[in-house]
Amino acid sequence: MMPNLVLALSGGIGGAKLALGLSRILPARDLLIVANTGDDFEHLGLAISPDIDTLMYALAGLDNQELGWGRRDETWSFMETLARLGGADWFRLGDRDLAVHVERTRRLRLGETLSAITADFCRRLSIGPRVLPMSDDPVRTRLRTEEGWLDFQDYFVRLRCRPRVREIIFTGAAEARAQPDFLTALLSEQLRAVVICPSNPFISVEPILALPGVRAAIASCQAPVIAVSPIIAGRAVKGPTAKMMIELGITPGAASVAERYGNLLDGYVIDSNDAAEAANLGPHVTLAPTLMTTLADRERLASVVLEAADALR
Ligand code: GDP
């Protein structure tokens, strides 16, 4: 039997776009999406998992297209009331979104795992493919900046990625266990491809790779490993990926992302605009339009990625 399982590693916005494309062209049981949880944090007493939620909302068709984050048809009564009372309003929590965090927090406190809660939320939101947190243990991304050490959301949301980044660490990663189903999938003979989504390598993909055993399992899995560049023509489509590269002394470009993943990659999909970079790249390169604006763009890119991966078998 042909291997049929596609394992996608994803952060939030960029990753969720490709994950949605994959979900539209694959049977639900053939797609497993592993979400970064390094962005997770506790805020207002709530357990917030931004990348899991971005994936859930995108896969359920509940994502807010105008804002580019959060939920569709959102209202803000909670936030307005909180601000009026002098509460912390720098992290915007819409009313509908809030319910997810409240319920997740309640169930975590009762001892359920983040994986079990996520699986149940996905079922209730009629999401077909599995969304798996990279780990059920806490991992927290922290950044050393010119303003000192910052927690991820302080940097990302409160300070809008303004401080220059010097170093990024994943607190707890060395002691955390990768989600067992994630490792099992990497060992599976049914594995068709590992897809590294066009997510920020530093803060979305590297936390996943930092978990014990993950890099080795990806390196030795029998399926092709293929990434999509989150950088198009030297720039990030959204967010601080290119800015971080400059601050970390790396040339912003598709080639630099591939270099970060090193020998993990068998194949790499870069944007047609970046053909000039293909020559400098180690892994097998596929050129394609990689800007995902419409749903059709997402599906097309997902097909390109799977075809390129299958050609590497
Ligand atoms: P975050 O966790 O919400 O920051 O999201 P990700 O890490 O998954 O995604 C951020 C990255 O996605 C950025 O580097 C963007 O350049 C990239 N990105 C967003 N949209 C697209 C797109 O349509 N095409 C490509 N190739 N990259 C994208």
Side-chain angles (χ1 to χ4, degrees), residues 12-13 39 41 50-51 54 69 90-91 141 143 145 150-163 165 200 203-204 238-241 244:
I13 313 268
D39 300 5
F41 75 130
D51 288 353
T54 298
W69 55 271
W90 58 269
F91 193 87
T141 298
L143 303 98
T145 72
L150 294 170
D151 288 341
F152 180 77
Q153 299 296 347
D154 262 348
Y155 164 78
F156 199 73
V157 178
R158 195 171 60 81
L159 299 172
R160 300 186 188 171
C161 309
R162 275 191 299 258
V165 175
N200 184 318
I203 52 179
S204 291
K238 195 172 192 290
T241 309
M244 279 179 168

PDB file of all heavy atoms in Angstrom, residues 12-13 39 41 50-51 54 69 90-91 141 143 145 150-163 165 200 203-204 238-241 244:
ATOM      1  N   GLY A  12       1.407  29.510  13.351  1.00  0.00           N
ATOM      2  CA  GLY A  12       0.050  30.055  13.260  1.00  0.00           C
ATOM      3  C   GLY A  12      -0.355  30.415  11.839  1.00  0.00           C
ATOM      4  O   GLY A  12      -0.660  29.544  11.031  1.00  0.00           O
ATOM      5  N   ILE A  13      -0.283  31.688  11.524  1.00  0.00           N
ATOM      6  CA  ILE A  13      -0.913  32.225  10.314  1.00  0.00           C
ATOM      7  C   ILE A  13      -0.421  31.579   9.007  1.00  0.00           C
ATOM      8  O   ILE A  13      -1.218  31.062   8.229  1.00  0.00           O
ATOM      9  CB  ILE A  13      -0.677  33.752  10.241  1.00  0.00           C
ATOM     10  CG1 ILE A  13      -0.973  34.407  11.590  1.00  0.00           C
ATOM     11  CG2 ILE A  13      -1.429  34.357   9.073  1.00  0.00           C
ATOM     12  CD1 ILE A  13      -2.327  34.925  11.821  1.00  0.00           C
ATOM     13  N   ASP A  39       4.489  29.499  21.735  1.00  0.00           N
ATOM     14  CA  ASP A  39       3.829  30.811  21.896  1.00  0.00           C
ATOM     15  C   ASP A  39       2.790  30.787  23.008  1.00  0.00           C
ATOM     16  O   ASP A  39       2.178  31.816  23.301  1.00  0.00           O
ATOM     17  CB  ASP A  39       3.036  31.205  20.637  1.00  0.00           C
ATOM     18  CG  ASP A  39       3.877  31.316  19.384  1.00  0.00           C
ATOM     19  OD1 ASP A  39       5.059  30.995  19.437  1.00  0.00           O
ATOM     20  OD2 ASP A  39       3.320  31.731  18.343  1.00  0.00           O
ATOM     21  N   PHE A  41       0.825  30.860  26.463  1.00  0.00           N
ATOM     22  CA  PHE A  41       1.106  31.601  27.689  1.00  0.00           C
ATOM     23  C   PHE A  41      -0.127  31.656  28.574  1.00  0.00           C
ATOM     24  O   PHE A  41      -1.218  31.246  28.158  1.00  0.00           O
ATOM     25  CB  PHE A  41       1.670  32.994  27.381  1.00  0.00           C
ATOM     26  CG  PHE A  41       0.677  34.017  26.881  1.00  0.00           C
ATOM     27  CD1 PHE A  41       0.610  35.278  27.470  1.00  0.00           C
ATOM     28  CD2 PHE A  41      -0.167  33.741  25.819  1.00  0.00           C
ATOM     29  CE1 PHE A  41      -0.285  36.241  27.010  1.00  0.00           C
ATOM     30  CE2 PHE A  41      -1.066  34.693  25.345  1.00  0.00           C
ATOM     31  CZ  PHE A  41      -1.115  35.944  25.945  1.00  0.00           C
ATOM     32  N   PRO A  50      -2.036  30.178  21.057  1.00  0.00           N
ATOM     33  CA  PRO A  50      -2.366  30.919  19.836  1.00  0.00           C
ATOM     34  C   PRO A  50      -2.244  30.100  18.544  1.00  0.00           C
ATOM     35  O   PRO A  50      -3.105  30.241  17.670  1.00  0.00           O
ATOM     36  CB  PRO A  50      -1.353  32.072  19.832  1.00  0.00           C
ATOM     37  CG  PRO A  50      -0.969  32.237  21.265  1.00  0.00           C
ATOM     38  CD  PRO A  50      -1.010  30.872  21.856  1.00  0.00           C
ATOM     39  N   ASP A  51      -1.210  29.278  18.420  1.00  0.00           N
ATOM     40  CA  ASP A  51      -1.049  28.577  17.139  1.00  0.00           C
ATOM     41  C   ASP A  51      -2.085  27.465  16.974  1.00  0.00           C
ATOM     42  O   ASP A  51      -2.625  27.265  15.881  1.00  0.00           O
ATOM     43  CB  ASP A  51       0.381  28.034  16.983  1.00  0.00           C
ATOM     44  CG  ASP A  51       1.382  29.169  16.733  1.00  0.00           C
ATOM     45  OD1 ASP A  51       0.944  30.320  16.552  1.00  0.00           O
ATOM     46  OD2 ASP A  51       2.599  28.907  16.722  1.00  0.00           O
ATOM     47  N   THR A  54      -5.260  29.330  16.021  1.00  0.00           N
ATOM     48  CA  THR A  54      -5.220  29.809  14.629  1.00  0.00           C
ATOM     49  C   THR A  54      -5.494  28.652  13.676  1.00  0.00           C
ATOM     50  O   THR A  54      -6.255  28.788  12.710  1.00  0.00           O
ATOM     51  CB  THR A  54      -3.847  30.449  14.329  1.00  0.00           C
ATOM     52  OG1 THR A  54      -3.683  31.570  15.188  1.00  0.00           O
ATOM     53  CG2 THR A  54      -3.737  30.901  12.888  1.00  0.00           C
ATOM     54  N   TRP A  69      -6.144  37.465  12.206  1.00  0.00           N
ATOM     55  CA  TRP A  69      -5.981  36.603  13.387  1.00  0.00           C
ATOM     56  C   TRP A  69      -7.331  36.558  14.096  1.00  0.00           C
ATOM     57  O   TRP A  69      -8.220  37.361  13.799  1.00  0.00           O
ATOM     58  CB  TRP A  69      -4.878  37.130  14.318  1.00  0.00           C
ATOM     59  CG  TRP A  69      -5.067  38.557  14.749  1.00  0.00           C
ATOM     60  CD1 TRP A  69      -4.600  39.659  14.086  1.00  0.00           C
ATOM     61  CD2 TRP A  69      -5.807  39.062  15.884  1.00  0.00           C
ATOM     62  NE1 TRP A  69      -5.005  40.803  14.736  1.00  0.00           N
ATOM     63  CE2 TRP A  69      -5.736  40.463  15.849  1.00  0.00           C
ATOM     64  CE3 TRP A  69      -6.516  38.447  16.926  1.00  0.00           C
ATOM     65  CZ2 TRP A  69      -6.339  41.273  16.811  1.00  0.00           C
ATOM     66  CZ3 TRP A  69      -7.117  39.251  17.890  1.00  0.00           C
ATOM     67  CH2 TRP A  69      -7.014  40.649  17.829  1.00  0.00           C
ATOM     68  N   TRP A  90      -3.734  44.720  26.497  1.00  0.00           N
ATOM     69  CA  TRP A  90      -2.781  44.700  25.372  1.00  0.00           C
ATOM     70  C   TRP A  90      -2.896  43.429  24.535  1.00  0.00           C
ATOM     71  O   TRP A  90      -2.564  43.441  23.360  1.00  0.00           O
ATOM     72  CB  TRP A  90      -1.346  44.880  25.877  1.00  0.00           C
ATOM     73  CG  TRP A  90      -0.896  43.843  26.868  1.00  0.00           C
ATOM     74  CD1 TRP A  90      -1.012  43.925  28.229  1.00  0.00           C
ATOM     75  CD2 TRP A  90      -0.260  42.594  26.588  1.00  0.00           C
ATOM     76  NE1 TRP A  90      -0.500  42.790  28.812  1.00  0.00           N
ATOM     77  CE2 TRP A  90      -0.021  41.956  27.829  1.00  0.00           C
ATOM     78  CE3 TRP A  90       0.137  41.938  25.420  1.00  0.00           C
ATOM     79  CZ2 TRP A  90       0.582  40.706  27.935  1.00  0.00           C
ATOM     80  CZ3 TRP A  90       0.745  40.694  25.526  1.00  0.00           C
ATOM     81  CH2 TRP A  90       0.958  40.098  26.773  1.00  0.00           C
ATOM     82  N   PHE A  91      -3.405  42.351  25.115  1.00  0.00           N
ATOM     83  CA  PHE A  91      -3.609  41.131  24.330  1.00  0.00           C
ATOM     84  C   PHE A  91      -5.099  41.010  24.061  1.00  0.00           C
ATOM     85  O   PHE A  91      -5.887  40.804  24.974  1.00  0.00           O
ATOM     86  CB  PHE A  91      -3.075  39.898  25.085  1.00  0.00           C
ATOM     87  CG  PHE A  91      -2.960  38.672  24.213  1.00  0.00           C
ATOM     88  CD1 PHE A  91      -1.806  38.440  23.464  1.00  0.00           C
ATOM     89  CD2 PHE A  91      -4.011  37.767  24.106  1.00  0.00           C
ATOM     90  CE1 PHE A  91      -1.706  37.331  22.637  1.00  0.00           C
ATOM     91  CE2 PHE A  91      -3.915  36.655  23.288  1.00  0.00           C
ATOM     92  CZ  PHE A  91      -2.755  36.432  22.550  1.00  0.00           C
ATOM     93  N   THR A 141       8.750  30.059  24.576  1.00  0.00           N
ATOM     94  CA  THR A 141       9.751  30.799  23.819  1.00  0.00           C
ATOM     95  C   THR A 141      10.063  32.105  24.546  1.00  0.00           C
ATOM     96  O   THR A 141       9.151  32.819  24.967  1.00  0.00           O
ATOM     97  CB  THR A 141       9.216  31.090  22.406  1.00  0.00           C
ATOM     98  OG1 THR A 141       8.995  29.836  21.757  1.00  0.00           O
ATOM     99  CG2 THR A 141      10.189  31.936  21.593  1.00  0.00           C
ATOM    100  N   LEU A 143      12.851  35.598  24.383  1.00  0.00           N
ATOM    101  CA  LEU A 143      13.776  36.281  23.494  1.00  0.00           C
ATOM    102  C   LEU A 143      14.674  37.226  24.277  1.00  0.00           C
ATOM    103  O   LEU A 143      14.188  37.990  25.125  1.00  0.00           O
ATOM    104  CB  LEU A 143      13.004  37.085  22.435  1.00  0.00           C
ATOM    105  CG  LEU A 143      12.043  36.248  21.586  1.00  0.00           C
ATOM    106  CD1 LEU A 143      10.631  36.352  22.128  1.00  0.00           C
ATOM    107  CD2 LEU A 143      12.074  36.692  20.140  1.00  0.00           C
ATOM    108  N   THR A 145      16.565  40.447  23.968  1.00  0.00           N
ATOM    109  CA  THR A 145      16.504  41.587  23.055  1.00  0.00           C
ATOM    110  C   THR A 145      17.369  42.703  23.613  1.00  0.00           C
ATOM    111  O   THR A 145      17.908  42.594  24.724  1.00  0.00           O
ATOM    112  CB  THR A 145      15.061  42.127  22.920  1.00  0.00           C
ATOM    113  OG1 THR A 145      14.715  42.795  24.147  1.00  0.00           O
ATOM    114  CG2 THR A 145      14.068  41.000  22.661  1.00  0.00           C
ATOM    115  N   LEU A 150      12.613  38.814  27.217  1.00  0.00           N
ATOM    116  CA  LEU A 150      11.166  39.032  27.119  1.00  0.00           C
ATOM    117  C   LEU A 150      10.457  37.707  26.903  1.00  0.00           C
ATOM    118  O   LEU A 150      10.939  36.838  26.159  1.00  0.00           O
ATOM    119  CB  LEU A 150      10.849  39.935  25.920  1.00  0.00           C
ATOM    120  CG  LEU A 150      11.340  41.389  25.991  1.00  0.00           C
ATOM    121  CD1 LEU A 150      11.151  42.067  24.631  1.00  0.00           C
ATOM    122  CD2 LEU A 150      10.572  42.159  27.065  1.00  0.00           C
ATOM    123  N   ASP A 151       9.289  37.561  27.523  1.00  0.00           N
ATOM    124  CA  ASP A 151       8.414  36.437  27.190  1.00  0.00           C
ATOM    125  C   ASP A 151       7.876  36.671  25.786  1.00  0.00           C
ATOM    126  O   ASP A 151       7.745  37.817  25.340  1.00  0.00           O
ATOM    127  CB  ASP A 151       7.236  36.360  28.177  1.00  0.00           C
ATOM    128  CG  ASP A 151       7.695  35.883  29.553  1.00  0.00           C
ATOM    129  OD1 ASP A 151       8.791  35.287  29.633  1.00  0.00           O
ATOM    130  OD2 ASP A 151       6.970  36.128  30.525  1.00  0.00           O
ATOM    131  N   PHE A 152       7.531  35.582  25.124  1.00  0.00           N
ATOM    132  CA  PHE A 152       7.174  35.681  23.716  1.00  0.00           C
ATOM    133  C   PHE A 152       6.064  36.689  23.433  1.00  0.00           C
ATOM    134  O   PHE A 152       6.179  37.542  22.557  1.00  0.00           O
ATOM    135  CB  PHE A 152       6.775  34.305  23.144  1.00  0.00           C
ATOM    136  CG  PHE A 152       6.399  34.413  21.697  1.00  0.00           C
ATOM    137  CD1 PHE A 152       7.379  34.526  20.736  1.00  0.00           C
ATOM    138  CD2 PHE A 152       5.073  34.469  21.308  1.00  0.00           C
ATOM    139  CE1 PHE A 152       7.046  34.686  19.395  1.00  0.00           C
ATOM    140  CE2 PHE A 152       4.733  34.622  19.967  1.00  0.00           C
ATOM    141  CZ  PHE A 152       5.721  34.727  19.020  1.00  0.00           C
ATOM    142  N   GLN A 153       4.955  36.625  24.143  1.00  0.00           N
ATOM    143  CA  GLN A 153       3.824  37.500  23.817  1.00  0.00           C
ATOM    144  C   GLN A 153       4.095  38.953  24.202  1.00  0.00           C
ATOM    145  O   GLN A 153       3.533  39.867  23.591  1.00  0.00           O
ATOM    146  CB  GLN A 153       2.514  36.999  24.453  1.00  0.00           C
ATOM    147  CG  GLN A 153       2.083  35.616  23.980  1.00  0.00           C
ATOM    148  CD  GLN A 153       1.748  35.533  22.496  1.00  0.00           C
ATOM    149  OE1 GLN A 153       1.604  36.550  21.802  1.00  0.00           O
ATOM    150  NE2 GLN A 153       1.633  34.320  21.974  1.00  0.00           N
ATOM    151  N   ASP A 154       4.983  39.156  25.196  1.00  0.00           N
ATOM    152  CA  ASP A 154       5.405  40.522  25.518  1.00  0.00           C
ATOM    153  C   ASP A 154       6.098  41.125  24.308  1.00  0.00           C
ATOM    154  O   ASP A 154       5.851  42.268  23.926  1.00  0.00           O
ATOM    155  CB  ASP A 154       6.418  40.490  26.676  1.00  0.00           C
ATOM    156  CG  ASP A 154       5.744  40.784  27.995  1.00  0.00           C
ATOM    157  OD1 ASP A 154       4.584  41.226  27.972  1.00  0.00           O
ATOM    158  OD2 ASP A 154       6.386  40.564  29.034  1.00  0.00           O
ATOM    159  N   TYR A 155       6.988  40.317  23.729  1.00  0.00           N
ATOM    160  CA  TYR A 155       7.715  40.756  22.539  1.00  0.00           C
ATOM    161  C   TYR A 155       6.763  40.912  21.344  1.00  0.00           C
ATOM    162  O   TYR A 155       6.713  41.951  20.689  1.00  0.00           O
ATOM    163  CB  TYR A 155       8.811  39.741  22.217  1.00  0.00           C
ATOM    164  CG  TYR A 155       9.370  39.872  20.814  1.00  0.00           C
ATOM    165  CD1 TYR A 155      10.290  40.874  20.500  1.00  0.00           C
ATOM    166  CD2 TYR A 155       8.948  39.020  19.794  1.00  0.00           C
ATOM    167  CE1 TYR A 155      10.779  41.011  19.210  1.00  0.00           C
ATOM    168  CE2 TYR A 155       9.431  39.156  18.502  1.00  0.00           C
ATOM    169  CZ  TYR A 155      10.341  40.157  18.219  1.00  0.00           C
ATOM    170  OH  TYR A 155      10.805  40.286  16.938  1.00  0.00           O
ATOM    171  N   PHE A 156       5.971  39.875  21.109  1.00  0.00           N
ATOM    172  CA  PHE A 156       5.222  39.765  19.859  1.00  0.00           C
ATOM    173  C   PHE A 156       4.014  40.698  19.825  1.00  0.00           C
ATOM    174  O   PHE A 156       3.777  41.376  18.828  1.00  0.00           O
ATOM    175  CB  PHE A 156       4.774  38.308  19.699  1.00  0.00           C
ATOM    176  CG  PHE A 156       4.403  37.916  18.301  1.00  0.00           C
ATOM    177  CD1 PHE A 156       5.373  37.753  17.330  1.00  0.00           C
ATOM    178  CD2 PHE A 156       3.079  37.673  17.961  1.00  0.00           C
ATOM    179  CE1 PHE A 156       5.030  37.374  16.039  1.00  0.00           C
ATOM    180  CE2 PHE A 156       2.729  37.293  16.677  1.00  0.00           C
ATOM    181  CZ  PHE A 156       3.712  37.145  15.716  1.00  0.00           C
ATOM    182  N   VAL A 157       3.288  40.741  20.892  1.00  0.00           N
ATOM    183  CA  VAL A 157       2.035  41.509  20.889  1.00  0.00           C
ATOM    184  C   VAL A 157       2.207  42.851  21.615  1.00  0.00           C
ATOM    185  O   VAL A 157       1.939  43.907  21.044  1.00  0.00           O
ATOM    186  CB  VAL A 157       0.879  40.691  21.509  1.00  0.00           C
ATOM    187  CG1 VAL A 157      -0.406  41.513  21.536  1.00  0.00           C
ATOM    188  CG2 VAL A 157       0.661  39.405  20.720  1.00  0.00           C
ATOM    189  N   ARG A 158       2.703  42.796  22.861  1.00  0.00           N
ATOM    190  CA  ARG A 158       2.744  44.044  23.633  1.00  0.00           C
ATOM    191  C   ARG A 158       3.726  45.038  23.008  1.00  0.00           C
ATOM    192  O   ARG A 158       3.415  46.208  22.833  1.00  0.00           O
ATOM    193  CB  ARG A 158       3.112  43.769  25.094  1.00  0.00           C
ATOM    194  CG  ARG A 158       2.827  44.931  26.037  1.00  0.00           C
ATOM    195  CD  ARG A 158       3.009  44.546  27.504  1.00  0.00           C
ATOM    196  NE  ARG A 158       4.355  44.110  27.820  1.00  0.00           N
ATOM    197  CZ  ARG A 158       5.373  44.926  28.055  1.00  0.00           C
ATOM    198  NH1 ARG A 158       5.194  46.234  28.031  1.00  0.00           N
ATOM    199  NH2 ARG A 158       6.581  44.449  28.317  1.00  0.00           N
ATOM    200  N   LEU A 159       4.896  44.534  22.633  1.00  0.00           N
ATOM    201  CA  LEU A 159       5.917  45.430  22.070  1.00  0.00           C
ATOM    202  C   LEU A 159       5.967  45.375  20.544  1.00  0.00           C
ATOM    203  O   LEU A 159       6.835  45.985  19.923  1.00  0.00           O
ATOM    204  CB  LEU A 159       7.290  45.100  22.677  1.00  0.00           C
ATOM    205  CG  LEU A 159       7.361  45.286  24.197  1.00  0.00           C
ATOM    206  CD1 LEU A 159       8.677  44.766  24.754  1.00  0.00           C
ATOM    207  CD2 LEU A 159       7.189  46.759  24.567  1.00  0.00           C
ATOM    208  N   ARG A 160       5.018  44.655  19.924  1.00  0.00           N
ATOM    209  CA  ARG A 160       4.877  44.589  18.461  1.00  0.00           C
ATOM    210  C   ARG A 160       6.175  44.289  17.734  1.00  0.00           C
ATOM    211  O   ARG A 160       6.482  44.893  16.710  1.00  0.00           O
ATOM    212  CB  ARG A 160       4.269  45.889  17.936  1.00  0.00           C
ATOM    213  CG  ARG A 160       2.926  46.071  18.568  1.00  0.00           C
ATOM    214  CD  ARG A 160       2.175  47.214  18.037  1.00  0.00           C
ATOM    215  NE  ARG A 160       1.001  47.332  18.912  1.00  0.00           N
ATOM    216  CZ  ARG A 160       0.155  48.305  18.897  1.00  0.00           C
ATOM    217  NH1 ARG A 160       0.293  49.262  18.048  1.00  0.00           N
ATOM    218  NH2 ARG A 160      -0.868  48.322  19.719  1.00  0.00           N
ATOM    219  N   CYS A 161       6.956  43.390  18.307  1.00  0.00           N
ATOM    220  CA  CYS A 161       8.204  42.907  17.689  1.00  0.00           C
ATOM    221  C   CYS A 161       9.225  44.026  17.480  1.00  0.00           C
ATOM    222  O   CYS A 161      10.120  43.887  16.650  1.00  0.00           O
ATOM    223  CB  CYS A 161       7.945  42.226  16.343  1.00  0.00           C
ATOM    224  SG  CYS A 161       6.681  40.952  16.363  1.00  0.00           S
ATOM    225  N   ARG A 162       9.073  45.139  18.220  1.00  0.00           N
ATOM    226  CA  ARG A 162       9.979  46.265  17.987  1.00  0.00           C
ATOM    227  C   ARG A 162      11.394  46.034  18.499  1.00  0.00           C
ATOM    228  O   ARG A 162      12.357  46.355  17.804  1.00  0.00           O
ATOM    229  CB  ARG A 162       9.405  47.560  18.565  1.00  0.00           C
ATOM    230  CG  ARG A 162       8.439  48.254  17.589  1.00  0.00           C
ATOM    231  CD  ARG A 162       8.085  49.645  18.056  1.00  0.00           C
ATOM    232  NE  ARG A 162       7.417  49.587  19.351  1.00  0.00           N
ATOM    233  CZ  ARG A 162       6.090  49.717  19.516  1.00  0.00           C
ATOM    234  NH1 ARG A 162       5.314  49.946  18.481  1.00  0.00           N
ATOM    235  NH2 ARG A 162       5.556  49.649  20.711  1.00  0.00           N
ATOM    236  N   PRO A 163      11.576  45.463  19.706  1.00  0.00           N
ATOM    237  CA  PRO A 163      12.960  45.321  20.207  1.00  0.00           C
ATOM    238  C   PRO A 163      13.793  44.424  19.295  1.00  0.00           C
ATOM    239  O   PRO A 163      13.297  43.435  18.765  1.00  0.00           O
ATOM    240  CB  PRO A 163      12.761  44.656  21.582  1.00  0.00           C
ATOM    241  CG  PRO A 163      11.353  44.932  21.964  1.00  0.00           C
ATOM    242  CD  PRO A 163      10.579  44.997  20.692  1.00  0.00           C
ATOM    243  N   VAL A 165      16.167  41.578  18.293  1.00  0.00           N
ATOM    244  CA  VAL A 165      16.364  40.254  18.893  1.00  0.00           C
ATOM    245  C   VAL A 165      17.826  39.834  18.784  1.00  0.00           C
ATOM    246  O   VAL A 165      18.450  39.986  17.737  1.00  0.00           O
ATOM    247  CB  VAL A 165      15.471  39.213  18.176  1.00  0.00           C
ATOM    248  CG1 VAL A 165      15.753  37.807  18.694  1.00  0.00           C
ATOM    249  CG2 VAL A 165      13.997  39.553  18.372  1.00  0.00           C
ATOM    250  N   ASN A 200       7.343  30.885  10.585  1.00  0.00           N
ATOM    251  CA  ASN A 200       8.582  31.519  11.037  1.00  0.00           C
ATOM    252  C   ASN A 200       9.526  30.442  11.575  1.00  0.00           C
ATOM    253  O   ASN A 200       9.186  29.753  12.529  1.00  0.00           O
ATOM    254  CB  ASN A 200       8.226  32.534  12.135  1.00  0.00           C
ATOM    255  CG  ASN A 200       9.416  33.335  12.611  1.00  0.00           C
ATOM    256  OD1 ASN A 200      10.499  32.804  12.801  1.00  0.00           O
ATOM    257  ND2 ASN A 200       9.205  34.620  12.808  1.00  0.00           N
ATOM    258  N   ILE A 203      10.634  31.036  15.538  1.00  0.00           N
ATOM    259  CA  ILE A 203       9.700  31.014  16.667  1.00  0.00           C
ATOM    260  C   ILE A 203       8.521  30.069  16.463  1.00  0.00           C
ATOM    261  O   ILE A 203       7.734  29.875  17.372  1.00  0.00           O
ATOM    262  CB  ILE A 203       9.187  32.444  16.995  1.00  0.00           C
ATOM    263  CG1 ILE A 203       8.627  33.125  15.741  1.00  0.00           C
ATOM    264  CG2 ILE A 203      10.294  33.274  17.619  1.00  0.00           C
ATOM    265  CD1 ILE A 203       8.072  34.519  15.986  1.00  0.00           C
ATOM    266  N   SER A 204       8.396  29.478  15.266  1.00  0.00           N
ATOM    267  CA  SER A 204       7.284  28.551  15.063  1.00  0.00           C
ATOM    268  C   SER A 204       7.760  27.123  14.814  1.00  0.00           C
ATOM    269  O   SER A 204       7.160  26.173  15.313  1.00  0.00           O
ATOM    270  CB  SER A 204       6.418  28.993  13.879  1.00  0.00           C
ATOM    271  OG  SER A 204       5.718  30.170  14.187  1.00  0.00           O
ATOM    272  N   LYS A 238       4.090  38.328   6.327  1.00  0.00           N
ATOM    273  CA  LYS A 238       3.509  38.944   7.527  1.00  0.00           C
ATOM    274  C   LYS A 238       4.451  38.601   8.683  1.00  0.00           C
ATOM    275  O   LYS A 238       5.041  37.529   8.672  1.00  0.00           O
ATOM    276  CB  LYS A 238       2.125  38.331   7.769  1.00  0.00           C
ATOM    277  CG  LYS A 238       1.247  39.077   8.739  1.00  0.00           C
ATOM    278  CD  LYS A 238      -0.156  38.474   8.725  1.00  0.00           C
ATOM    279  CE  LYS A 238      -1.164  39.344   9.437  1.00  0.00           C
ATOM    280  NZ  LYS A 238      -1.000  39.396  10.881  1.00  0.00           N
ATOM    281  N   GLY A 239       4.545  39.487   9.636  1.00  0.00           N
ATOM    282  CA  GLY A 239       5.296  39.158  10.842  1.00  0.00           C
ATOM    283  C   GLY A 239       6.788  39.415  10.731  1.00  0.00           C
ATOM    284  O   GLY A 239       7.277  39.907   9.716  1.00  0.00           O
ATOM    285  N   PRO A 240       7.508  39.076  11.811  1.00  0.00           N
ATOM    286  CA  PRO A 240       8.892  39.539  11.952  1.00  0.00           C
ATOM    287  C   PRO A 240       9.970  38.602  11.411  1.00  0.00           C
ATOM    288  O   PRO A 240      11.137  38.778  11.759  1.00  0.00           O
ATOM    289  CB  PRO A 240       9.019  39.665  13.472  1.00  0.00           C
ATOM    290  CG  PRO A 240       8.181  38.544  13.991  1.00  0.00           C
ATOM    291  CD  PRO A 240       7.030  38.408  13.007  1.00  0.00           C
ATOM    292  N   THR A 241       9.619  37.612  10.567  1.00  0.00           N
ATOM    293  CA  THR A 241      10.643  36.639  10.160  1.00  0.00           C
ATOM    294  C   THR A 241      11.874  37.317   9.546  1.00  0.00           C
ATOM    295  O   THR A 241      13.007  37.043   9.959  1.00  0.00           O
ATOM    296  CB  THR A 241      10.058  35.607   9.171  1.00  0.00           C
ATOM    297  OG1 THR A 241       8.864  35.071   9.716  1.00  0.00           O
ATOM    298  CG2 THR A 241      11.038  34.474   8.916  1.00  0.00           C
ATOM    299  N   MET A 244      13.786  39.530  12.044  1.00  0.00           N
ATOM    300  CA  MET A 244      14.588  38.707  12.962  1.00  0.00           C
ATOM    301  C   MET A 244      15.867  38.228  12.289  1.00  0.00           C
ATOM    302  O   MET A 244      16.923  38.171  12.920  1.00  0.00           O
ATOM    303  CB  MET A 244      13.799  37.472  13.387  1.00  0.00           C
ATOM    304  CG  MET A 244      12.820  37.736  14.485  1.00  0.00           C
ATOM    305  SD  MET A 244      11.954  36.188  14.866  1.00  0.00           S
ATOM    306  CE  MET A 244      11.164  36.683  16.380  1.00  0.00           C
TER     307      MET A 244
END
